Amino acid sequence: MSPEQVAALLLGVAVVIAATRLAGALAARAGQPVVIGEILAGILLGPTLFHGSVTDVLFPADIRPHLGTLANIGVMVFMFLVGLELDHALLRGTGRLAVSVSLSSILLPLGLGALLGLYLLESHPNPHRLGFALFMGAAMAVTAFPVLARILTDRGMHRTATGGLALTCAAVDDVLAWSLLAVVVAVTGADTGQWHAVLVLPYVALMFWAVRPLLRRLVAAHRRTGHLSPGMLAAVLAGLMLSGCVTEWIGLHFIFGAFLFGVVMPREGSDRLREEITERVGQVSTVLLLPIFFVVSGLKVDLSAVGTPGLAELALILLVAVGGKFAGAFTAARLNGLPPRQSATLATLMNTRGLTELVILSAGLQLGLLDTGLYSLMVVMALVTTAMTGPLLQLFRPGRTPVAAGVREAGLRSSST
């Protein structure tokens, strides 16, 4: 890089940090998740305003690949932390209520999303017809577990029965959605002749049967010393990068390697270790790397050219995304005996998409499954479905005692988290 490029890159990163922090603070003051403001900052710094002239000044074309590299590292770290924070206990011993709500809130939006994908192929042609339809279904079915957990914590719902049920359902949803997305990537890769996909199962087996025992040694070393040493942190980060490298090489996308590396981290006796890793790595990711990802994603969003056909497609996308997820969760909850207001509260929480959706959309764009126009509309959908969570919770959420009682009637203890 030339000195001019280095200076432009550093200036761009400084602008990214300042803009996303300011927008996140404004979103928080408005009662919205911080991620809403950060995503909006990325869009506003992109080509949507002033025909991209601000973008060209702040982020010249020759530094964007370097920003993209930092953004990819940020996504890897984020996905690793998602896997690391995924509570295995939420997936074990899941009752009939949580299973039925999870499956219903996945299958209905998945089916509707796939049908929508087939319809959108007329205006957004794609050679990977099956991959495109499945991708649209996966994008409609996902729930953002990290954003949902933060919303529940901010509203004091994380220790209520409804909050515990929502977290359990979101954990199941995310595992199913990421598995489906892996299938989409494999199908798309197979269409383009990527034979490496046959190594997926051996890779997963290696992670659980070879890497996990090594991580147990790391946990044991941490318990002996009582702190996370630089050597331990280096081992974790190196393992994260290698896992992402392997999945990228076999055509599965690096996000899956990062996510699985977090999932295979042993849970027994590792609470303090995981907290330290999350604290040290999470701060750098939250303050530096993820804001760069928001802006890099925003640079690909152009809403300036959205006309009447685009608005009609956006309305259809929102109808499928909101309606499919809400109807699936609400119907399953009601069939299991939950009161209407509590069922609506749960369905509202399951509609939270946030950053997780943005990661999926970015993967779809990289895979060639989305064009710029459709990607832009889907990003708007992610923003709307996350922003609507707060106002709808104010409308639907009943008092804490009736909520807990309703869930207990369905067989879930109110102490669940």
Side-chain angles (χ1 to χ4, degrees):
M1 294 178 64
S2 67
E4 292 78 11
Q5 288 176 316
V6 172
L9 178 62
L10 296 178
L11 175 61
V13 171
V15 171
V16 167
I17 294 173
T20 52
R21 294 295 291 179
L22 175 60
L26 293 175
R29 288 179 64 87
Q32 289 291 340
V34 172
V35 68
I36 291 290
E38 293 173 327
I39 295 175
L40 278 175
I43 294 175
L44 295 177
L45 290 174
T48 296
L49 298 180
F50 308 111
H51 304 287
S53 56
V54 174
T55 305
D56 294 336
V57 172
L58 293 177
F59 311 106
D62 55 355
I63 72 165
R64 293 180 192 177
H66 304 292
L67 288 173
T69 300
L70 293 174
N72 285 336
I73 295 175
V75 172
M76 283 192 65
V77 173
F78 169 75
M79 291 303 301
F80 164 66
L81 294 177
V82 171
L84 190 68
E85 295 174 359
L86 184 63
D87 189 352
H88 294 178
L90 294 176
L91 304 178
R92 291 195 297 265
T94 304
R96 184 186 68 179
L97 171 60
V99 170
S100 59
V101 171
S102 299
L103 291 179
S104 183
S105 64
I106 278 280
L107 294 178
L108 183 58
L110 169 64
L112 294 176
L115 292 175
L116 174 63
L118 293 176
Y119 171 77
L120 291 176
L121 279 171
E122 297 182 7
S123 53
H124 303 273
N126 194 289
H128 310 295
R129 295 179 62 87
L130 176 60
F132 177 78
L134 290 176
F135 175 84
M136 290 298 295
M140 298 296 178
V142 73
T143 297
F145 182 87
V147 178
L148 174 60
R150 184 55 187 265
I151 290 175
L152 291 173
T153 300
D154 290 345
R155 293 180 175 271
M157 297 177 62
H158 60 297
R159 295 194 180 277
T160 65
T162 302
L165 176 59
L167 283 176
T168 301
C169 294
V172 176
D173 272 19
D174 272 10
V175 171
L176 294 177
W178 288 117
S179 300
L180 177 61
L181 186 60
V183 172
V184 172
V185 175
V187 168
T188 306
D191 289 346
T192 57
Q194 292 191 14
W195 59 270
H196 295 159
V198 299
L199 300 176
V200 171
L201 291 180
Y203 157 75
V204 174
L206 179 69
M207 292 295 290
F208 278 96
W209 294 340
V211 175
R212 196 171 198 179
L214 293 176
L215 291 174
R216 285 198 181 98
R217 295 185 181 182
L218 182 69
V219 172
H222 178 266
R223 293 176 67 179
R224 286 195 303 270
T225 60
H227 70 280
L228 179 65
S229 67
M232 294 177 187
L233 184 59
V236 171
L237 293 178
L240 166 62
M241 298 302 165
L242 285 174
S243 183
C245 171
V246 171
T247 52
E248 185 71 21
W249 180 74
I250 64 179
L252 194 58
H253 206 284
F254 61 80
I255 60 176
F256 297 103
F259 177 71
L260 189 57
F261 190 75
V263 168
V264 300
M265 176 70 74
R267 265 46 179 179
E268 301 80 9
S270 66
D271 290 348
R272 180 56 186 162
L273 173 62
R274 289 186 289 119
E275 287 176 5
E276 289 189 58
I277 292 174
T278 301
E279 181 179 355
R280 293 196 191 182
V281 178
Q283 286 186 351
V284 176
S285 174
T286 301
V287 176
L288 176 63
L289 297 177
L290 280 181
I292 294 176
F293 169 69
F294 292 134
V295 170
V296 169
S297 301
L299 295 180
K300 303 166 187 173
V301 174
D302 188 359
L303 300 174
S304 61
V306 176
T308 302
L311 292 176
E313 289 181 349
L314 176 59
L316 191 57
I317 289 171
L318 286 171
L319 177 63
V320 171
V322 177
K325 199 75 172 174
F326 192 96
F330 181 85
T331 302
R334 290 290 293 133
L335 290 176
N336 279 275
L338 266 68
R341 288 172 64 88
Q342 185 180 337
S343 299
T345 299
L346 180 61
T348 298
L349 291 169
M350 298 304 293
N351 243 315
T352 304
R353 289 179 172 87
L355 177 55
T356 304
E357 182 74 25
L358 200 60
V359 172
I360 289 181
L361 297 180
S362 297
L365 191 63
Q366 292 176 7
L367 292 168
L369 294 173
L370 297 178
D371 56 34
T372 302
L374 186 55
Y375 170 81
S376 301
L377 298 180
M378 294 291 285
V379 169
V380 173
M381 179 272 289
L383 281 170
V384 171
T385 54
T386 305
M388 63 186 280
T389 302
L392 287 181
L393 284 178
Q394 294 287 354
L395 177 65
F396 292 134
R397 188 190 176 195
R400 181 168 298 187
T401 301
V403 171
V407 176
R408 280 198 297 272
E409 291 171 4
L412 188 70
R413 291 178 301 174
S414 62
S415 60
S416 173
T417 58

